[in-house]
Structures are given as C-alpha cells and as structure tokens.
Amino acid sequence: MRPVVDKVMPEAWKAVVAFSSVIREGAAQQGVSAQESELIKVRASQLNACTFCLDLHSREARQAGIPQQKLDVLPAWRESGIFSERERAVLAIAEATTQLPLSAGSADDLSGALAVLGEPTFVAAEWVAIAINAFNRISILSEHPVRPRDADGKLVR
C-alpha cells in the first residue's frame, strides 16, 4: 500500500483544497457554470483513469443537472450532437489541459474554445482543468478507494 499523500502532509492537502476553492469561486465569477465545471472534472478524470474523482464528480455532475445521457456519451463527445458549443469548448479545454504537451490539434481546439468563451471564461475553465488534474494525481497516487453507493449516492455499509 502506498502512502496516502494527503494524510502524510495534511498542510499541503489544506493548501490544495484552498487553491481549489479559489478556482471554483473565480470560475463562477468568470462565467463557468457548475455544469461546465463538472463536465471538465469528469472528462479529465476519465482521461486520467481516476476512479475516486470519477465517482465523486459524476455524482456532482448529476446534482448540477447534467443529464445522465451526456455523462454516458462523454468519452465520445466529439462524435455526439448533444453537447452545446460552450460545452464542447470546455471539453476541448479539459482534454488539452490533461493530455500535455499540446498537439497541433489540441492547440486548434483551444483557439476555437477561446473564440467561443472569451478570454476570462476560457482562462477560468483552464484553471478548473488544472485543479482537477492535481486532484486526480493526489487520488491516484494515494490509491483513494471508491466505496459502494446506492442509487441515491449514499454509502452502502
């Protein structure tokens, strides 16, 4: 079993949580909706295969009002016609920020996202993606477990 990084250095964990709080508030002020933010978090967590964050943010996405159908087809968002232009922009940001270094295609996607969102919202969405990538790494390296839940999201004992 690996060391649980957030338990071994709780002061660093508190700083990351505070960092995330500033980003969440700033993103909302810059026009990133709760749904858009959760789409970023779920897509980055899918790409990173972070089961803990996928479990958490899929639940939070549904609570924010994202239809289950969108979550079901999220890995194939480019091929589906059900995501809005803004949703497609934030998903492009999620993917580019997660899959570094930037390719020519992801750089083009980011240019398109910037045109759709405008600079303040674009940058705020990038910060959301940066933050979830940090949390993904903490959870993966700490091997945070996913615990069974019922249909309402409550822990099953």
Side-chain angles (χ1 to χ4, degrees):
M1 178 180 249
R2 294 187 42 78
V4 180
V5 297
D6 53 320
K7 302 294 185 228
V8 175
M9 288 184 61
E11 64 283 358
W13 175 251
K14 288 178 186 173
V16 172
V17 170
F19 164 77
S20 177
S21 206
V22 168
I23 290 169
R24 181 176 42 257
E25 292 170 18
Q29 290 171 356
Q30 296 300 329
V32 179
S33 72
Q35 287 186 358
E36 292 164 345
S37 183
E38 290 305 324
L39 284 172
I40 292 168
K41 293 172 187 178
V42 173
R43 185 64 187 131
S45 298
Q46 287 174 337
L47 294 169
N48 288 322
C50 182
T51 58
F52 183 85
C53 293
L54 273 170
D55 181 55
L56 172 65
H57 290 291
S58 293
R59 259 191 332 277
E60 291 187 354
R62 287 188 296 275
Q63 290 170 356
I66 296 175
Q68 184 62 49
Q69 181 189 29
K70 284 188 177 181
L71 294 173
D72 292 343
V73 302
L74 190 55
W77 65 271
R78 291 174 188 276
E79 290 73 39
S80 78
I82 65 171
F83 292 91
S84 72
E85 184 178 39
R86 280 183 59 97
E87 290 169 334
R88 295 173 70 77
V90 298
L91 289 168
I93 291 168
E95 289 188 357
T97 306
T98 302
Q99 299 174 313
L100 296 174
L102 295 177
S103 67
S106 59
D108 288 345
D109 287 346
L110 290 177
S111 292
L114 177 59
V116 169
L117 299 173
E119 187 173 278
T121 305
F122 175 86
V123 169
E126 284 188 312
W127 275 110
V128 172
I130 291 165
I132 191 58
N133 274 284
F135 279 105
N136 286 171
R137 280 142 182 80
I138 292 165
S139 290
I140 291 166
L141 292 171
S142 298
E143 298 177 339
H144 288 159
V146 174
R147 300 187 321 190
R149 295 181 181 274
D150 65 17
D152 295 323
K154 294 183 180 147
L155 288 174
V156 175
R157 299 192 194 248

